[in-house]
Amino acid sequence: MELVERLRIFLEDEARSCSMDFGCVTPEYVQRMLGGEYSLEEIKDALSICLKELL
């Protein structure tokens, strides 16, 4: 669940800085911003959980 928590913080920071809306965040963008630490599948799963909570 470490990734889910990192994504929550990441999404909130992106929204707070007005650089991106939650719905515009893609797994590829997240992977690039997190330095490739996680696979796209891991990010897709975690992003799905986060977006359900936030939207």
Side-chain angles (χ1 to χ4, degrees):
M1 283 302 178
E2 172 191 338
L3 178 55
V4 172
E5 184 58 33
R6 285 188 74 185
L7 279 177
R8 282 185 191 123
I9 294 167
F10 176 77
L11 290 171
E12 290 171 4
D13 288 346
E14 287 293 304
R16 197 173 296 119
S17 70
C18 298
S19 63
M20 192 168 286
D21 184 72
F22 294 136
C24 297
V25 176
T26 64
E28 293 81 9
Y29 177 74
V30 172
Q31 186 181 46
R32 190 172 42 245
M33 295 304 291
L34 295 180
E37 284 183 56
Y38 301 96
S39 72
L40 283 177
E41 277 304 312
E42 290 175 300
I43 293 170
K44 286 178 186 177
D45 293 342
L47 193 55
S48 175
I49 292 168
C50 289
L51 290 177
K52 284 179 186 175
E53 294 172 358
L54 294 171
L55 297 177

